[in-house]
Amino acid sequence: MTETTKPKFTCRDVRVHYGDFEALHGIDIDIPDHGVTAFIGPSGCGKSTFLRTFNRMNDTIDGCRVSGQILMDGEDIYDKNLDPVLLRAQVGMVFQKPNPFPKSIYDNVAYGPRIHGLTSSKAELDVLVEKSLRRAGLWDEVKDRLKLSGTGLSGGQQQRLVIARAIAVNPEVILMDEPASALDPIATAKLEALIEELKERYCIIIVTHSMAQAARVSDKTAFFYMGDLIEFDNTDKIFTNPGNDRTQDYITGRTG
Amino acid sequence: MGQISIYMMLLIAVLTIGGFVYNRSSALGKFRAARAAAGGKMVSSAWHSQASYHGYFTAWLVALSTLAVFIIGLVINGQGMVFNGLWLAAIILTALGVTIITGRKVSGTFRARTYVERFIHGLLICLSVIAVLTTLGIIASLLFESLRFFREVPFMDFLFGLQWSPQTAMRADQVGQSGSFGAIPVFAGTFLIMLVAMAIAGPVGLMIAIYLTEYASAGVRKWIKPAIEILAGVPTVVYGFFALLTFAPFVRGFAETLGFSVPTQSALAAGVVMGVMIIPFVSSLSSDVINSVPQTLRDGSYALGATESETMKKVVFTAALPGIIGAFMLAISRAIGETMIVYMAAGKAANLTANPFEAVTTVTVQIVALLTGDSDFDSAKTLVAFALGLVLFVITLILNVVALTVVRRYRARY
């Protein structure tokens, strides 16, 4: 990752309110393209809330308001003329708990391409489904049972299925909200290897509670505390020589 | 006889309560004495059972033993019984004896609590067995009476006959008037009305459920939900005269403007009003099911760029489908079993027709018509009611089994 590339997201004074409660107090951050940015911080620090501003998932929550400016490739994603539906096709999301739809594995992956009309024939869709499952590292495990329900897979497989589902609509960004928190260590290792591969192609932002995970998979790390962005730097720097005492306290386990 | 039984039951109740009070206080007394002997340091948990359990133990034994004596007395005395001193004395002596004997057993080690729990356990089993036995009894009665009917009318003639005119069977003295018991027109009427009702209640109820769970704001939901549930609380007889006096003439007028001649009573009038009646069943059951679809599935769909209606159609609806089928099946059973509306608004003529503007009759209406008024309970005319009931029962049973199988096969594991 080079420092000279243009940022994927440029955020200025981003504030999020739930009713009268201000969850984020003016965040300024530039998220680089093609790389993994990790958000860490104690529970309730606002990192998941911040993640959900990038695909406007906060819009679906009653009483949630976002102010400030978030530019994606220089375009304001909170512009009144911007359709959140199109934004979400470009910014995929993977959730904490694997949430495959109660449909077949094939239909799970084909869901996004179908609603967006990305393919014009069954053959084309077949190709896209296979490509997405391959990229998510799941193809070899499921190629013989594409018609079986996605909910019958193991937790780790489900999470990779959900990633395949997100990849299938050809996004530029993939948001991951604690994607490994419901997985066992082996499934987690597979998921992290997958993230390593995906970052060549996509901008990945991952929220995680595991500092070891942040250190392993991310290029840049942002530390959030009580709704503020405390520190944002290269992951190596954050974990070896943090510039802020609170970051130091958190990563060494004194707070959090 | 009747009065004496009631007094006896009252007496048994009094003796039971007396046993409880006596032994609880005797247990309390013994416990206090034991504590005093221990220098006031003993706590109540030092005894296996609290005082009230000793009381309950006695009460249970008194109730059971006196009831047994009471029943033995009933059997010995038979029908023509008047007041019997021996019987009364036996009951009182049994109660006193049980109370005193169990009173002697009260001690720190006597496991009264365990026995009381066992009594309660037994009581609960007995009560559920009663429910099961009742069901079996109803089935048995339906079966045996139906068999008697099938001895007079061949099974196949009943099940597949196209002619229904049971009234003529009463007039056995008239030559050639043996009555005909072909059940097809009656069941056809039932299903016609059920279809009309489900055509109304299914889509409307489902749409209401979707609107309430996915689109309506909390304020709107607060008003609409109770308003719909009121529909379920309206007595069916009110729906019946609404169908007969308000809706049926409207249907008739409407059909006449189209150039049809239509009777006032019609399958359409009864079916539509019945559909309105079962809307709340469909809507509230389906909205519970839709509500229970996890938010994470919706989020997953929105995050892929799906709109609200795409999410609803393709994710939430699929996930909720087993429950929605269950709701529909329940509504169908309700529609098939409904009596009052069809009795008033559908008519009694057993027409075999698929035209909803015609008057039809249903199984339930025929059962009512057959069993009310003067009738000889041994004639084919009344026995056929049991056969109708049996077939109706089998049909709803099959519906339920099918629904359960469908639900189990497509049950989503979220």
Side-chain angles (χ1 to χ4, degrees), chain B residues 95-177:
Chain B
L96 289 179
V98 168
T99 306
I100 289 164
I101 290 169
T102 55
R104 288 229 179 112
K105 297 209 76 144
V106 171
S107 73
T109 52
F110 182 64
R111 308 168 79 83
R113 169 161 53 84
T114 318
Y115 292 119
V116 170
E117 296 293 347
R118 266 184 219 157
F119 278 134
I120 291 174
H121 194 120
L123 178 76
L124 294 180
I125 290 176
C126 286
L127 291 177
S128 40
V129 166
I130 287 176
V132 173
L133 286 182
T134 311
T135 315
L136 289 180
I138 291 174
I139 296 173
S141 135
L142 277 178
L143 263 179
F144 286 121
E145 300 296 324
S146 300
L147 284 179
R148 283 175 64 194
F149 169 72
F150 289 131
R151 234 173 276 148
E152 293 180 36
V153 178
F155 182 66
M156 287 298 157
D157 288 5
F158 168 72
L159 211 54
F160 298 109
L162 298 179
Q163 198 65 40
W164 176 263
S165 49
Q167 297 303 329
T168 51
M170 279 297 279
R171 314 177 62 173
D173 52 317
Q174 294 189 341
V175 186
Q177 298 282 331

Side-chain angles (χ1 to χ4, degrees), chain B residues 271-304:
Chain B
V272 168
V273 172
M274 191 195 288
V276 172
M277 184 192 81
I278 55 183
I279 283 174
F281 286 86
V282 178
S283 75
S284 81
L285 286 170
S286 319
S287 74
D288 287 350
V289 175
I290 293 173
N291 252 333
S292 69
V293 173
Q295 183 62 32
T296 55
L297 285 186
R298 296 184 175 87
D299 283 349
S301 176
Y302 293 141
L304 287 167

Side-chain angles (χ1 to χ4, degrees), chain A residues 34 60 67 79 82 93 108 129 152 197 199 223 226 234 247:
Chain A
H34 299 299
T60 61
S67 62
D79 190 279
L82 185 132
M93 186 163 191
N108 260 285
V129 168
E197 279 172 38
K199 75 175 183 182
F223 172 62
M226 306 279 279
N234 288 331
T247 317

Side-chain angles (χ1 to χ4, degrees), chain B residues 13 20 57 67 70 80 82 151 156 212 215 251 262 264 272 292-293 302 389 408 410:
Chain B
F20 172 77
F57 176 68
L67 270 177
F70 172 69
V82 281
R151 234 173 276 148
M156 287 298 157
L212 283 182
Y215 295 93
V251 169
V262 170
T264 310
V272 168
S292 69
V293 173
Y302 293 141
R408 218 170 278 153
Y410 294 101

